[in-house]
Amino acid sequence: MIKPLQETVLLHVNGKEHLLDVEVSELLLDVLRDRLGLTGSKKGCETGECGACTVLLDGRPVNSCLVLALDAVGYEITTIEGLSPVDGPLNPVQQAFVDFGAIQCGYCSPGMIMSVTALLAENSAPDDEDIKKAISGHLCRCGSYVKIMDAVRYLSTVRQDENMKMTVELEKRER
Amino acid sequence: MLRKMRFSDYFKPADTRELFDYLHSYNGKTAFLAGGTDLFVQMKSGKREYDSLIDLKALNDMSYIREQANGGLAIGSLTNVRSLELSSLLLQKYPGLSTAASMLGSIQVRNRATIGGNLCNASPSADLISPLLALNADIKLLSEDGENIIPLVELFRGPGQTVLDGRILTEIIIPPLFNGNFENYFFEYYKCSPRQNMDLAVVGVSILLIFADENRQVIDRAAIALGAVAPVPMRAEAAELLLQGQRPSQELFARAAEQSAAACRPISDIRASAEYRRGMVRTMVLRGLLEACPC
């Protein structure tokens, strides 16, 4: 049984379908960057330690440098480009990173933002420990961790306030 | 220097029949792929080379954590480490395993890495091996001739070396610890690594103590498993025997810690010296025992 080095795959990326011929050994990160032009996901250590290549598979953060493109079939893949429209406003996580200056060179930012997005999806008001755990798989060589923590803490507080407002609203309605 | 992975075939069998047919017909060098978080790093660094990869992830449901009727537990080998970490069952009843899962790599790695992969990669420092050794876990192996069950401890031949020889690890079986009474026991995993997160264990220690009574007056059974301090993960059997049937005391715990340090066979490498590792075994075993039973 000899199969070609290439296979045709259907990848769901940021809500769009892409039919692509990929090499069997090609990594998701390379396909995203080199074939789809989605260069927001960065190539760093290539061994799953720096987190610069982090994307979401069905909402869960993974290192796209350690996932075969063939193995990403069937998942909804989300990259930093999928978080907000090209000409539209940034999403709240991106905006908070900008507002708090949580970016220096910016290389780690897309990965960090993907992990923070996943964190906030499962935990609406994370505490400092939760935040540190969520971004522990990311290296920022500029050392902007303090500002990153500030940005995510702010998001967490906003969520808490929103939750509070909703609870108050619900209580009012019930009355 | 990292290189591009170059393998020419990728096969994702839907069932074991397809898998064994493929193994018969394929002549090149092939490896089983689970999460890939270790395998791909080894292939990129040139440590391992294969012509093809067989992805096991489409095989019938091998991702589960199930309590058994006999009071034990069965874990499918493709269960990812993140699921172990988030399992409330493990947190409640097998806290040492839960802790070890939460300390393995990053969330991104844990979302992909599997329990079976962590065992079969056979790294002496693998976080999940030591707690499973302390639990006397067995493993179910599948070959074309059928299934057989062996003790986990028999899987390892040396660093990165196993007795698998083409067989697939399908399930991890944790025998019932005692009469299902999870009150009278202590089970925890301790990891020493230079960085708090995202680092390999320089020493990993699992401590499991079953007490004869609720007041923890007498130790009924003890298991101490050590990682990263010998060619394969090991149990500190002499120290365990020392503890069994005894009343907890500082002096007893100090002797058990000393025995554990004497039993390990650490090496010096870029991560730590043998002396440091041995010293940390003593410290961490003592710390664990005192946490189990402050005295």
Side-chain angles (χ1 to χ4, degrees):
Chain A
M1 180 165 48
I2 297 163
K3 281 197 276 182
L5 283 165
Q6 297 239 327
E7 269 192 38
T8 306
V9 294
L10 182 67
L11 294 181
H12 296 257
V13 185
N14 299 333
K16 284 191 201 134
E17 291 189 346
H18 299 271
L19 199 60
L20 300 161
D21 291 326
V22 301
E23 286 177 24
V24 292
S25 60
E26 218 165 330
L27 294 161
L28 177 59
L29 175 63
D30 293 325
V31 169
L32 291 173
R33 289 179 57 85
D34 301 340
R35 294 183 190 259
L36 298 179
L38 299 171
T39 52
S41 308
K42 303 298 183 215
K43 190 178 265 196
C45 69
E46 296 179 65
T47 55
E49 293 186 26
C50 76
C53 66
T54 300
V55 302
L56 306 184
L57 292 190
D58 288 347
R60 296 194 185 92
V62 302
N63 298 306
S64 63
C65 74
L66 294 181
V67 177
L68 293 178
L70 283 175
D71 203 2
V73 173
Y75 287 101
E76 182 54 50
I77 304 158
T78 312
T79 70
I80 187 80
E81 290 89 347
L83 293 188
S84 53
V86 178
D87 300 317
L90 296 175
N91 93 343
V93 182
Q94 293 169 307
Q95 191 61 51
F97 270 58
V98 173
D99 293 345
F100 282 82
I103 293 169
Q104 284 194 42
C105 82
Y107 206 82
C108 73
S109 310
M112 287 270 190
I113 289 170
M114 297 318 286
S115 279
V116 170
T117 300
L119 167 72
L120 293 171
E122 63 182 39
N123 180 352
S124 62
D127 61 22
D128 278 14
E129 236 4 78
D130 299 327
I131 302 169
K132 283 183 192 169
K133 267 188 202 153
I135 62 170
S136 68
H138 296 269
L139 294 177
C140 168
R141 293 298 77 176
C142 306
S144 54
Y145 298 108
V146 174
K147 303 276 187 187
I148 292 169
M149 287 297 293
D150 287 346
V152 187
R153 247 184 235 125
Y154 164 76
L155 289 164
S156 175
T157 322
V158 169
R159 293 290 190 88
Q160 275 168 347
D161 289 349
E162 277 171 9
N163 287 349
M164 200 91 83
K165 269 183 219 156
M166 275 172 61
T167 318
V168 173
E169 283 297 312
L170 282 175
E171 279 172 3
K172 267 189 205 163
R173 258 183 248 166
E174 275 169 20
R175 265 181 235 151
Chain B
M1 189 59 199
L2 297 175
R3 58 181 81 171
K4 198 170 179 291
M5 291 196 293
R6 293 202 181 279
F7 51 91
S8 54
D9 199 13
Y10 167 88
F11 182 58
K12 200 171 192 172
D15 55 46
T16 48
R17 187 70 266 145
E18 273 187 29
L19 170 81
F20 292 119
D21 285 349
Y22 180 87
L23 282 175
H24 277 301
S25 63
Y26 192 77
N27 292 322
K29 196 175 173 199
T30 186
F32 294 130
L33 168 67
T37 51
D38 277 321
L39 183 67
F40 291 158
V41 175
Q42 290 161 359
M43 290 174 75
K44 287 179 180 190
S45 67
K47 260 197 216 161
R48 288 174 196 250
E49 265 183 74
Y50 300 103
D51 304 314
S52 90
L53 294 184
I54 303 176
D55 192 337
L56 302 176
K57 286 192 290 294
L59 290 179
N60 298 351
D61 190 19
M62 282 179 17
S63 173
Y64 54 84
I65 304 171
R66 275 187 211 133
E67 281 189 287
Q68 305 293 89
N70 67 1
L73 190 76
I75 305 176
S77 62
L78 290 180
T79 308
N80 69 47
V81 180
R82 182 74 169 152
S83 312
L84 301 178
E85 177 190 8
L86 297 178
S87 158
S88 51
L89 172 67
L90 291 194
L91 185 65
Q92 262 185 339
K93 296 191 170 175
Y94 302 92
L97 187 55
S98 184
T99 303
S102 75
M103 295 182 120
L104 188 157
S106 61
I107 292 179
Q108 295 100 306
V109 167
R110 298 200 286 277
N111 272 330
R112 297 293 293 175
T114 65
I115 184 171
N118 195 238
L119 302 188
C120 294
N121 188 52
S123 163
S125 68
D127 286 308
L128 301 183
I129 298 176
S130 127
L132 287 170
L133 280 188
L135 290 166
N136 282 333
D138 292 320
I139 49 174
K140 196 183 274 181
L141 302 179
L142 177 75
S143 71
E144 207 166 5
D145 304 326
E147 285 180 337
N148 69 318
I149 294 174
I150 65 166
L152 171 63
V153 69
E154 288 174 17
L155 174 66
F156 312 106
R157 283 175 36 219
Q161 304 291 315
T162 67
V163 299
L164 283 172
D165 192 27
R167 290 178 290 179
I168 300 166
L169 192 165
T170 57
E171 190 176 76
I172 294 95
I173 303 161
I174 299 170
L177 285 170
F178 34 88
N179 315 321
N181 182 354
F182 287 88
E183 299 299 316
N184 298 353
Y185 104 123
F186 174 88
F187 179 32
E188 196 46 281
Y189 175 71
Y190 303 88
K191 176 172 177 171
C192 165
S193 54
R195 289 181 63 208
Q196 205 178 350
N197 288 297
M198 280 299 293
D199 206 349
L200 300 179
V202 157
V203 176
V205 171
S206 295
I207 304 277
L208 189 158
L209 292 183
I210 299 171
F211 298 95
D213 58 304
E214 271 164 35
N215 299 326
R216 306 198 167 187
Q217 297 279 325
V218 177
I219 299 165
D220 193 36
R221 218 193 85 200
I224 300 173
L226 309 174
V229 290
V232 297
M234 59 173 281
R235 290 271 291 264
E237 282 159 16
E240 295 173 359
L241 281 175
L242 204 65
L243 294 168
Q244 266 151 34
Q246 301 298 311
R247 286 180 173 275
S249 73
Q250 290 220 11
E251 192 268 330
L252 176 72
F253 287 170
R255 271 168 51 217
E258 202 55 56
Q259 277 282 5
S260 305
C264 68
R265 290 173 288 144
I267 55 163
S268 294
D269 63 11
I270 190 169
R271 313 185 70 77
S273 68
E275 294 77 8
Y276 178 75
R277 285 191 161 100
R278 199 183 292 281
M280 283 312 292
V281 167
R282 187 185 302 113
T283 303
M284 290 160 72
V285 169
L286 184 60
R287 187 179 298 163
L289 292 172
L290 285 172
E291 195 180 319
C293 203
C295 54

